[in-house]
Amino acid sequence: MTTKLKFPQGFFWGTATSSYQIEGAWNEDGKGESIWDRFSHTPGHIERGEMGNVACDHYHRWQEDIAIHKELGVNGYRFSISWPRILPQGRGAVNPKGLDFYSRLVDGLLEAGIQPFVTLYHWDLPQALQDEGGWPARATAEAFVEYADVVSRRLGDRVKHWMTLNEPWCSSLLGYQIGEHAPGHHDWKSALAAAHHLLLGHGLALPAIRRNSPQSEVGIVLNLIPTEPASPSPEDYDAFRYFDGFFNRWFLDPVFGRGYPADKVLEYAAQGFLPPTIPLTDGDWGFVKSGDLQAIAQPIDFLGVNYYSRSVQRSPVIPEHQNQPRTVHVAPESEWTEMRWEVFPEGLYRLLNRVNYEYQPRKIYITENGASYSDGPDAAGQIHDERRIAYLRSHLEAAHRAIQNGVPLAGYFTWSIMDNFEWAHGFAQRFGLYWVDFATQKRLPKDSALWYRQVIAGNGLTI
Ligand code: FCB
């Protein structure tokens, strides 16, 4: 017997991308340099020395890309705007050609019956702002407000769904402390300041977006990882709390008006437990000015959740374990994607319930979910990516259960419509529903694209 898992009426089915990962045209039509241009042009940062100069050439092929979305039948498409395309120096002079590009894209989507879901910041900070200190500098939050104002003034009559930031954990911790992302720094204190200024930029930009686009909804996108201790030992419990604190609550708590988590997380941060261990002193928190937490806690209309996997934690906070992997996946029989991320759909169910129960967002969208598998075309040009279909199906089933449980989930955006530039991993990690031949820029539907089309057409799953 087949059961139909129907999703609510009006549910948004979509895909997601970001500017640097698909657009290319890195120095065309007046675009300024971004930190990802600089980072990828510097040898040693990206696997095989790859870079996003051309990527999927979406800047020139956007009409074809709208057409494949139309073919899929999506009613939503989440993309991001390249800040240095709009303000090449990060603030001040506006590049009209940059604004025109996104204006045409928005019109094209609307003509195709697709609602644009616009992310303002998906990691491509103008290099000019990085040269003045980047996100660790408070002035970058102010520049972000100027940028959000310029964009929402131009597109605000047509765009009804805005996201300020994508995954501020990555832009701060991965960029300024772990160094795997642009600008590639290793400085714990500036990573914390960066996280704060990202959140501040989010909070301060909200009123500007609402003013310019009054009929719209505005939210933020967080990458959240459900976490559990590897064992019941107090050390593993601490490790779990610390990871959950730094990864999830560090962003959820202030956005939902609770300030920064005051439990173990601050205690560990004060001792500088993330290597390199530079103890924080009280003075180091000086970047949090009076009124900031109120600004960050401006009400949002929805929370965007990016979910890929879970994490199981064991005692990273014990000094003698510091050179061991912090994340232990307790289920050795687990399946993994090619990103080495465990396939764990139950985590999505738990996460959605937890966020709903603890923070009560008005609405949630799954703004990213997907899997990297490199299955390519066979001799007949067909792409049998069964593992991706299984991944998406199991996660949609989990999302459906969460809705049954009362979670106000209003849409699902799979990452991604097509294979693209996967940051430090370059082009080898393929997340797309469409295969991209990067030599010819041909897009070929994988079996998962055909499957997703059916899901959308039926507004649900047959299991
Ligand atoms: C997320 C990013 C997105 C993409 C996926 C795989 O962390 O937001 O750009 O790279 O991971």
Side-chain angles (χ1 to χ4, degrees):
M1 204 179 75
T2 56
T3 316
K4 187 103 185 141
L5 299 184
K6 275 269 182 204
F7 281 71
Q9 243 200 333
F11 194 75
F12 276 107
W13 294 101
T15 72
T17 62
S18 86
S19 46
Y20 187 71
Q21 292 177 280
I22 65 165
E23 283 179 3
W26 76 281
N27 59 358
E28 283 180 45
D29 287 346
K31 176 182 166 293
E33 186 187 15
S34 82
I35 56 172
W36 271 94
D37 294 317
R38 177 72 60 93
F39 187 70
S40 66
H41 294 166
T42 310
H45 287 149
I46 315 291
E47 289 175 24
R48 297 166 301 280
E50 290 171 349
M51 51 190 74
N53 286 11
V54 177
C56 303
D57 196 29
H58 168 79
Y59 188 75
H60 299 115
R61 293 166 196 267
W62 58 275
Q63 282 157 309
E64 179 187 348
D65 291 336
I66 292 177
I68 61 177
H69 276 102
K70 206 173 166 184
E71 224 170 80
L72 274 184
V74 296
N75 53 1
Y77 169 50
R78 173 176 178 242
F79 63 93
S80 81
I81 293 191
S82 160
W83 184 344
R85 225 183 256 299
I86 306 297
L87 295 159
Q89 294 304 308
R91 57 166 80 83
V94 174
N95 174 31
K97 288 188 173 167
L99 277 176
D100 290 347
F101 169 70
Y102 294 107
S103 184
R104 285 193 299 269
L105 179 65
V106 163
D107 286 343
L109 286 165
L110 290 172
E111 273 162 35
I114 301 168
Q115 280 297 315
F117 281 66
V118 172
T119 312
L120 286 165
Y121 185 69
H122 200 127
W123 308 352
D124 42 0
L125 184 73
Q127 180 64 40
L129 292 180
Q130 181 55 43
D131 294 342
E132 294 168 19
W135 285 110
R138 192 177 176 90
T140 300
E142 286 150 16
F144 178 72
V145 181
E146 180 179 332
Y147 158 63
D149 182 46
V150 168
V151 174
S152 56
R153 225 182 295 160
R154 176 70 185 272
L155 304 180
D157 54 337
R158 288 155 290 156
V159 171
K160 302 296 172 209
H161 311 272
W162 296 93
M163 287 147 286
T164 51
L165 306 176
N166 178 69
E167 303 190 353
W169 184 89
C170 293
S171 330
S172 53
L173 271 295
L174 269 186
Y176 290 92
Q177 202 266 326
I178 298 168
E180 186 188 319
H181 280 185
H185 294 182
H186 300 276
D187 179 39
W188 172 225
K189 292 180 191 177
S190 36
L192 282 183
H196 181 68
H197 295 139
L198 279 151
L199 287 173
L200 183 64
H202 152 79
L204 294 176
L206 284 171
I209 302 168
R210 292 196 199 287
R211 191 175 56 240
N212 295 331
S213 188
Q215 303 306 321
S216 68
E217 51 175 22
V218 195
I220 186 171
V221 173
L222 300 179
N223 46 328
L224 300 173
I225 298 195
T227 306
E228 54 202 272
S231 83
S233 75
E235 290 82 7
D236 284 354
Y237 189 79
D238 270 4
F240 140 75
R241 253 199 109 58
Y242 174 70
F243 182 90
D244 184 53
F246 250 108
F247 208 97
N248 300 319
R249 289 182 290 126
W250 199 261
F251 297 91
L252 280 168
D253 280 9
V255 163
F256 286 95
R258 299 178 187 180
Y260 289 110
D263 61 357
K264 288 282 179 202
V265 182
L266 278 186
E267 201 181 299
Y268 292 152
Q271 296 163 31
F273 266 116
L274 273 188
T277 54
I278 306 164
L280 283 174
T281 61
D282 280 356
D284 289 326
W285 295 98
F287 52 75
V288 182
K289 306 279 184 220
S290 100
D292 284 4
L293 289 169
Q294 286 90 318
I296 294 170
Q298 289 278 320
I300 49 175
D301 302 306
F302 66 87
L303 177 70
V305 171
N306 290 354
Y307 175 78
Y308 290 92
S309 193
R310 72 164 161 176
S311 146
V312 182
Q313 291 292 315
R314 76 170 174 213
S315 59
V317 294
I318 298 176
E320 57 266 29
H321 286 184
Q322 265 184 7
N323 295 326
Q324 295 183 21
R326 294 180 35 186
T327 305
V328 181
H329 288 268
V330 282
E333 74 284 7
S334 289
E335 223 186 295
W336 306 72
T337 69
E338 290 176 22
M339 285 291 275
R340 301 289 303 146
W341 293 347
E342 186 190 6
V343 178
F344 192 65
E346 185 63 18
L348 178 60
Y349 175 72
R350 289 184 198 162
L351 174 67
L352 291 172
N353 282 306
R354 179 215 180 166
V355 166
N356 187 39
Y357 182 74
E358 286 187 32
Y359 298 95
Q360 286 146 21
R362 291 180 191 163
K363 196 192 264 188
I364 299 178
Y365 292 112
I366 296 171
T367 34
E368 286 181 31
N369 175 242
S372 168
Y373 292 115
S374 55
D375 308 296
D378 63 14
Q382 295 192 334
I383 301 160
H384 303 304
D385 58 337
E386 291 308 316
R387 292 173 298 174
R388 178 170 294 100
I389 295 177
Y391 180 100
L392 298 176
R393 175 192 288 283
S394 60
H395 286 76
L396 281 175
E397 185 274 327
H400 186 267
R401 261 193 299 138
I403 295 174
Q404 300 305 106
N405 222 20
V407 172
L409 184 68
Y412 175 90
F413 296 78
T414 188
W415 185 272
S416 177
I417 179 71
M418 58 191 158
D419 301 332
N420 56 48
F421 180 79
E422 182 47 37
W423 308 112
H425 302 291
F427 294 104
Q429 296 291 342
R430 291 176 175 267
F431 278 88
L433 299 181
Y434 280 70
W435 171 271
V436 176
D437 177 336
F438 291 102
T440 62
Q441 291 296 345
K442 272 220 153 57
R443 284 91 159 113
L444 256 188
K446 303 179 188 178
D447 286 354
S448 56
L450 310 175
W451 172 84
Y452 195 44
R453 188 162 72 186
Q454 283 173 2
V455 171
I456 297 170
N459 195 33
L461 285 174
T462 305
I463 54 168

